[in-house]
Amino acid sequence: MNLLKDAWIPVQQAGLMEKITLQQLLCNEKQGELCLPRDDMEFACLQLLVAITQVLFPPADKAQLVQRLKQPLTRSEYDDGCEGKLDWFDLDHPETPFMQFRGVNAKELTPMDKLMAGVADGTNKTFVNPQGLIEGLCAGCVSIVLYNTAYNCPSMGGGFKSGMRGSTPITVLIRGDNLSQTVWHNVLTAASLKREMPCYEPSDITLPNYIEGLRKDSKLSASTIGLAKGLFWQPARFELAPIEGEGVCSCCGQNLPLYTGFKKEKFSYTIEGVWPHPLSARTFTIKAGQKEEKFPSFTTSQPSWVHLAKLVVDKDNGKEGYHPAPVITQLKSFGAKRLNLMVGGYRNNQATVLERRHEMYSLASDWQENTSLVDELITLAQEYKKALRKALYLFGEGVKDSFAGAGVNLTDQYEAVFYQSTEQLIQDTLAEISYTQPSSALDSLSSSLKARVTQLFDQAIFPYRQEPKMLKALASSRRLLNKYLKDLEPHGGNHE
Ligand SMILES: [Zn+2]
């Protein structure tokens, strides 16, 4: 199966699911929305489409990218882009199979479910398929899960390396009006590449590491990793076992020839520095004059809006800060009106995937005029959450030598309820606020959050309100809450 020639992209059009080729998609012969039962697999498929398009059809400048958005590729443009690259994208190539290595040394085959993030690992099963369901994957789905494993998943553990961006990074993608527009919106022009990725050379002739090979224990500097190598980097040695026969693919559900196992082997190498991935924001700290960069990930159960400032705002206070994903910076430089954003990633504990996140955000017109407002809005919401936490903490703990607390810790439980019950409010505010004149929307957000926090506090203390020995704790914690809420009032609430 060749990703540049065969039909592997699962789309849905008017309720019907079919697989189309990349050429049909980019030449606008067929369209549709991506359609797989798992949102993380759709997200990985989109990332793979963007990576191939970026490497094969890089637009020179804004004018050419705008043309791509309006006008599909012609067949000959498509063929020109593929020239010399067909071998890179052949899943069964005798020497350089897509995202694999030949001659992997492994005694036994690993079942395919090990490549479906969160299926084979032992713990939290609430979001995954029942055990034993995965029996094999079709060629298209195997390509998607190989890419997902290399870029989005924790490593296989036990000495296997995680991907280019470390374990479980957050990925951002800009959403267009249809699938091919979405792909093009996430492709960087040569001019943006030069600005965003200092290591980029317009004559980028680097090869994916599964084509070029990689010596064991080799050391590479991130600045020598060009675009093709960075977008097609396989951190582990994997090799698919040959197709076993036909069956129902456990990912897309179609009846197709299936791969049922693969060989895996760890190998070690070191990359010095950080390769600036086009779809990732980077956070940094400056220590002893050295900038240390990292890719943000979902490390706690907090919702993804908490991370949104890191994903779209450029911030540098001399000691620390963050850069948005290069595709976001590019869109900002184009002066695009509204930003529709998809944010995705896993939360893990070492090799185990605990949770997957895929959310959409919309930032209202003129967002690029005032991105620091996103930071301000998120900080404000977090301050309301902190007020609730602090008041409930006092209520639970009491004050030594003064009054006893309830002896229960309500803070984490109510933080989770706060996040759940304010998520829509935050998303709506980001989508509707005026980025040039935000004050009335911020006032209204404040009053909604205040009402919510007060209600949650009342709910938390309700079971204790009749207990005489709790009177002091009740009064003190409510006083503390009111003080914090007053401080947060938009026009600098004064208090004693
Ligand atoms: Zn499939």
Side-chain angles (χ1 to χ4, degrees):
M1 199 282 289
N2 193 304
L3 293 166
L4 305 187
K5 290 198 293 198
D6 296 310
W8 64 275
I9 307 163
V11 297
Q12 185 176 318
Q13 179 86 293
L16 288 175
M17 195 262 212
E18 68 169 327
K19 299 220 180 182
I20 64 171
T21 68
L22 185 64
Q23 184 254 316
Q24 286 169 334
L25 177 70
L26 297 182
C27 299
N28 205 15
E29 292 167 14
K30 285 191 175 179
Q31 281 291 335
E33 286 307 309
L34 283 179
C35 166
L36 284 171
R38 277 176 55 166
D39 48 11
D40 55 336
M41 293 303 157
E42 287 180 353
F43 201 68
C45 180
L46 188 53
Q47 279 173 261
L48 175 55
L49 290 171
V50 169
I52 300 176
T53 309
Q54 175 75 70
V55 169
L56 265 49
F57 311 102
D61 50 23
K62 183 184 171 188
Q64 204 175 28
L65 181 57
V66 170
Q67 194 199 348
R68 295 271 182 263
L69 284 164
K70 286 184 186 154
Q71 217 173 22
L73 290 177
T74 63
R75 282 220 184 180
S76 72
E77 282 172 325
Y78 182 85
D79 292 340
D80 289 350
C82 295
E83 174 131 16
K85 306 267 181 6
L86 284 168
D87 284 353
W88 295 16
F89 298 101
D90 183 344
L91 193 63
D92 311 296
H93 194 281
E95 283 150 31
T96 57
F98 175 67
M99 295 301 275
Q100 307 157 67
F101 295 90
R102 287 287 176 222
V104 171
N105 188 13
K107 284 203 183 78
E108 49 195 51
L109 288 182
T110 306
M112 295 314 283
D113 57 1
K114 205 58 182 150
L115 289 177
M116 293 283 283
V119 172
D121 42 35
T123 50
N124 192 336
K125 283 280 184 285
T126 51
F127 65 91
V128 297
N129 306 320
Q131 197 88 33
L133 190 72
I134 300 294
E135 274 163 11
L137 296 171
C138 74
C141 293
V142 162
S143 309
I144 296 166
V145 300
L146 280 171
Y147 198 77
N148 192 44
T149 305
Y151 278 89
N152 301 326
C153 296
S155 83
M156 298 256 154
F160 279 86
K161 304 263 307 177
S162 48
M164 268 277 176
R165 303 178 287 173
S167 203
T168 62
I170 299 176
T171 298
V172 298
L173 284 157
I174 296 161
R175 192 157 54 102
D177 291 340
N178 59 38
L179 181 56
S180 61
Q181 286 223 352
T182 297
V183 170
W184 286 115
H185 270 303
N186 292 288
V187 169
L188 294 172
T189 64
S192 302
L193 281 166
K194 216 168 168 162
R195 191 184 55 233
E196 292 295 313
M197 306 173 78
C199 51
Y200 172 74
E201 292 287 335
S203 61
D204 182 33
I205 44 159
T206 60
L207 300 171
N209 69 337
Y210 61 86
I211 302 285
E212 192 178 55
L214 184 64
R215 270 183 298 112
K216 199 169 189 289
D217 298 326
S218 52
K219 264 196 185 145
L220 289 96
S221 159
S223 64
T224 64
I225 297 177
L227 194 61
K229 183 170 283 169
L231 289 176
F232 293 99
W233 180 269
Q234 175 52 272
R237 283 171 58 82
F238 290 148
E239 184 177 13
L240 294 172
I243 282 173
E244 284 275 318
E246 270 201 19
V248 174
C249 170
S250 306
C251 181
C252 68
Q254 292 201 335
N255 208 44
L256 289 165
L258 297 183
Y259 294 84
T260 57
F262 69 103
K263 287 192 275 187
K264 64 176 194 297
E265 186 185 12
K266 58 193 167 200
F267 77 123
S268 60
Y269 60 86
T270 313
I271 296 179
E272 280 159 347
V274 161
W275 189 77
H277 193 283
L279 306 178
S280 267
R282 302 186 306 282
T283 58
F284 64 86
T285 48
I286 295 173
K287 282 181 196 151
Q290 292 286 320
K291 195 174 191 180
E292 279 177 30
E293 287 191 312
K294 261 192 359 192
F295 297 103
S297 57
F298 297 116
T299 49
T300 64
S301 58
Q302 291 178 332
S304 58
W305 62 257
V306 171
H307 301 269
L308 203 60
K310 274 181 263 175
L311 306 180
V312 301
V313 182
D314 224 327
K315 188 172 169 177
D316 183 350
N317 66 9
K319 287 190 206 136
E320 56 183 12
Y322 24 86
H323 296 305
V327 286
I328 303 281
T329 309
Q330 171 173 281
L331 193 73
K332 211 152 101 181
S333 74
F334 290 171
K337 280 288 171 203
R338 176 171 272 276
L339 170 63
N340 292 315
L341 195 64
M342 295 181 267
V343 177
Y346 299 108
R347 185 161 71 90
N348 71 308
N349 178 9
Q350 297 184 328
T352 303
V353 170
L354 300 175
E355 198 183 356
R356 63 184 205 236
R357 300 267 184 77
H358 292 87
E359 273 136 86
M360 305 227 215
Y361 290 93
S362 198
L363 302 189
S365 292
D366 300 322
W367 62 282
Q368 78 281 12
E369 303 286 329
N370 187 8
T371 48
S372 62
L373 179 63
V374 177
D375 213 355
E376 201 182 315
L377 197 151
I378 287 163
T379 309
L380 179 71
Q382 294 277 67
E383 290 298 323
Y384 276 95
K385 180 214 71 183
K386 270 190 218 158
L388 177 65
R389 270 194 81 100
K390 284 183 176 166
L392 289 177
Y393 182 81
L394 180 68
F395 178 71
E397 292 287 312
V399 173
K400 201 168 174 241
D401 300 329
S402 173
F403 63 88
V408 286
N409 183 355
L410 299 165
T411 51
D412 291 345
Q413 180 193 344
Y414 276 87
E415 174 174 309
V417 182
F418 171 86
Y419 279 135
Q420 264 165 27
S421 64
T422 53
E423 177 131 32
Q424 197 59 48
L425 172 69
I426 303 291
Q427 290 198 5
D428 291 348
T429 309
L430 288 163
E432 286 154 21
I433 196 167
S434 157
Y435 280 78
T436 46
Q437 293 185 316
S439 58
S440 72
L442 283 176
D443 289 357
S444 128
L445 177 67
S446 274
S447 63
S448 304
L449 289 170
K450 181 181 171 185
R452 196 71 198 123
V453 162
T454 310
Q455 187 197 358
L456 291 177
F457 179 81
D458 290 344
Q459 193 182 325
I461 56 136
F462 185 79
Y464 306 89
R465 76 202 187 289
Q466 305 287 17
E467 288 183 36
K469 65 180 190 327
M470 292 309 302
L471 286 178
K472 261 194 146 169
L474 287 164
S476 296
S477 54
R478 185 174 299 277
R479 207 159 40 236
L480 186 69
L481 181 73
N482 289 338
K483 170 184 171 302
Y484 281 124
L485 294 179
K486 187 121 183 79
D487 282 349
L488 284 169
E489 272 174 20
H491 304 295
N494 290 318
H495 66 93
E496 290 304 307

